[in-house]
Amino acid sequence: QVQLVESGGGSVQAGGSLRLSCTGSGSTYSIYYINYMGWFRQAPGKEREEVATISTGAGSTNYADSVKGRFTISRINAKNTLYLQMNSLKPEDTAMYYCAAATGVSRIWRYWGQGTQVTVSS
């Protein structure tokens, strides 16, 4: 099993920045098989949205169109830590943000954190 713990959420005015962190812990065996990590978000009344993902090997990244150019995902494998730098925040970025880890060729998002709230005021 892998446990993921997010931190860094908070309240900020539009145009501001926040950096989210996600630290993973658990069995070395389980962590070894993680091939992708990502950030998701869910606003009240809306479906969960994939924000950004990164492969643990080559570091390939992918972003939702709504955050491209504003958000940057990164990771430090040796520390089992994932980051999401969020700049030029907009009120529509307000949501609960979740860290997740995937395994397998089908990229099954198997492990999830408890979430951290991001609120952007206009």
Side-chain angles (χ1 to χ4, degrees), residues 3-4 8 10 12 14-15 19 24-25 32 35 42 60 62 64 69 75 78-80 84 86 89 94 97-98 116 122:
Q3 294 78 43
L4 301 174
V12 65
R19 188 176 82 154
S25 61
Y32 176 80
N35 52 10
Q42 187 167 19
S60 301
N62 191 63
R75 88 273 188 257
K79 294 185 177 182
N80 294 329
L84 184 69
M86 305 185 294
L89 282 161
T94 295
Y97 283 71
Y98 298 92
T116 185
S122 57

Side-chain angles (χ1 to χ4, degrees), residues 32-77:
Y32 176 80
Y33 284 101
I34 292 173
N35 52 10
Y36 279 88
M37 295 194 74
W39 290 97
F40 295 74
R41 67 187 181 187
Q42 187 167 19
K46 294 188 177 181
E47 293 188 353
R48 186 174 60 198
E49 174 189 20
E50 181 181 292
V51 175
T53 63
I54 186 168
S55 65
T56 57
S60 301
T61 59
N62 191 63
Y63 296 91
D65 288 342
S66 58
V67 307
K68 280 181 182 177
R70 300 188 298 120
F71 290 11
T72 302
I73 188 171
S74 60
R75 88 273 188 257
I76 301 179
N77 287 344

Side-chain angles (χ1 to χ4, degrees), residues 98-109:
Y98 298 92
C99 169
T103 63
V105 295
S106 300
R107 203 184 305 183
I108 298 172
W109 296 100

